[in-house]
Structures are given as C-alpha cells and as structure tokens.
Amino acid sequence: MSDSRVIPANDYRRERWKNGLGWTREIARSHPSEDWDWRLSIAEIEHSAAFSTFDGVDRELVLLQGQGVRLAFDDGEAALLTLPGERHRFAGERALRGELIDGPTHDFNLMWRRDRIGAELLVRPLVGSMLFFTAPGETWALHLMSGQAQFDRSTGLPPLWQGDTALLVGGQTRSRYMLDGGGQLLAMRLTPLAPAQEGLQ
C-alpha cells in the first residue's frame, strides 16, 4: 500500500485552463507529463466561458459548490447541474460553454483517455464504514465532498477532511481498504484497458 496516499486540499496546484479562460486546481494525474492517462482537478468557474477541448479524452463533471452551471454544447444539447453531486459525462472533443446560474461554482473534473482507461464515478453518502478493493494496476480516487473520515490504521494513511482526496493504488496483489466516517464521497475507479490485439483472424 506504499503508493497509496492522501492529498490534502491545500496541496492542490492552481493553474489556468488550457484555453486560458478560467482556473483549475489540479489534484493529481497518472503521469507528470502532458501524456497522462487520467487527471483529477477542480474547475473554478468564475464567469460563463467556453470549456477547453481534449481530443481522445472522456470527461465527467460534478458540481461541488455554487448555485449551478448549465453545460451548453454547440450541437444543441444542454445539461443542468444545480445540486452538489449532480454530474454529466461527455466527450472532451465536444465544444461547449459553461453558463453560470447565479454566481461562481466549483466543479470536480475527472478526465481519462478512452483508449487507455475505463472509468467509473460514484457519488455516495458516507455513513459508517465503506470497503474498497484495488486490483493490480487499478486505482481508486476518493474525494471527500463533505464531512470527515479515516482509514483503517493498518493502511498507514492519514484522515480525510472535507476537500481532501485519497488515491488507493493497486499493487502486485489485491488490497483492501476500510474507510469510516460521515459525509458525502466521490469514488472513482480507474482501470487500465487491455491493449488491442492486432493481427487476429
């Protein structure tokens, strides 16, 4: 479990959006280079603006704070996020504009390269204990939207406070993590896809 860690909210790195029209706080990425497999961040939407586009990337946006945002896609589709925990999944190539309902919002942003990673995002209440199992090569990312929680002492991981994120990284064998506390949790399972086999008849 040595690769697993908790990232405190005050360690997130604030940087400009790729298109320069807003700010984001990067939580983590699979690789330090731009050629990451997955990336976690919190978008700070301070005014209505076009989103950056990402070729070959799928995204899921979750409202964390604020009165809401409308995702207005150039092809005419629209998605309205008004309550914390509401989310929308879309392809990173699609052009869209984030239109604020009533003031700024903070929105959790999960991105992954669809040809390399399978991603599942769950929004769950944390009441008592939850168990997470990591298979070799797999990562669970747990973002505590509200409340507080702590891992079983055997993991060696520190407590989670509101806004913190834990990365549970699969090692050579299947590992078990117990999280106990109260609040609301974003739980993301990131699984490498098997390489495509060429030349099969």
Side-chain angles (χ1 to χ4, degrees), residues 75-96:
D75 60 12
E77 181 191 354
L80 190 62
L81 310 180
T82 58
L83 297 174
E86 289 186 337
R87 60 225 175 97
H88 190 67
R89 179 178 288 214
F90 56 96
E93 296 90 351
R94 296 179 67 190
L96 77 150

Side-chain angles (χ1 to χ4, degrees), residues 2-172:
S2 58
D3 290 335
S4 297
R5 64 192 189 277
V6 167
I7 307 170
N10 57 13
D11 284 354
Y12 301 163
R13 185 180 65 185
R14 195 167 187 256
E15 59 185 34
R16 279 286 186 185
W17 291 0
K18 188 177 75 166
N19 66 11
L21 298 180
W23 290 92
T24 193
R25 286 182 290 147
E26 184 178 88
I27 299 170
R29 61 175 70 187
S30 60
H31 306 298
S33 73
E34 289 300 319
D35 188 31
W36 39 260
D37 293 337
W38 54 261
R39 181 174 182 258
L40 313 175
S41 63
I42 296 174
E44 302 173 359
I45 306 179
E46 300 173 325
H47 53 81
S48 298
F51 278 24
S52 305
T53 56
F54 293 87
D55 293 341
V57 170
D58 282 336
R59 305 178 62 173
E60 193 152 357
L61 197 75
V62 185
L63 180 65
L64 296 178
Q65 298 176 25
Q67 298 303 308
V69 62
R70 180 177 181 267
L71 305 180
F73 294 87
D74 283 10
D75 60 12
E77 181 191 354
L80 190 62
L81 310 180
T82 58
L83 297 174
E86 289 186 337
R87 60 225 175 97
H88 190 67
R89 179 178 288 214
F90 56 96
E93 296 90 351
R94 296 179 67 190
L96 77 150
R97 178 178 171 85
E99 300 175 347
L100 294 174
I101 306 302
D102 184 16
T105 64
H106 288 180
D107 304 85
F108 195 95
N109 185 31
L110 166 65
M111 297 192 290
W112 66 98
R113 298 197 190 277
R114 67 175 70 95
D115 62 342
R116 303 180 193 172
I117 294 290
E120 177 184 15
L121 186 149
L122 307 170
V123 181
R124 292 288 185 268
L126 178 60
V127 182
S129 298
M130 293 181 72
L131 286 174
F132 297 91
F133 296 90
T134 57
E138 184 178 75
T139 297
W140 277 95
L142 308 179
H143 178 78
L144 194 61
M145 293 177 59
S146 63
Q148 61 185 66
Q150 59 186 16
F151 289 96
D152 181 62
R153 185 176 300 177
S154 65
T155 65
L157 295 173
L160 274 180
W161 302 94
Q162 181 173 327
D164 293 348
T165 302
L167 297 180
L168 310 181
V169 181
Q172 297 299 315

Side-chain angles (χ1 to χ4, degrees), residues 178-190:
M178 177 181 287
L179 183 66
D180 185 78
Q184 190 169 16
L185 190 70
L186 294 184
M188 293 148 281
R189 186 180 183 183
L190 304 164

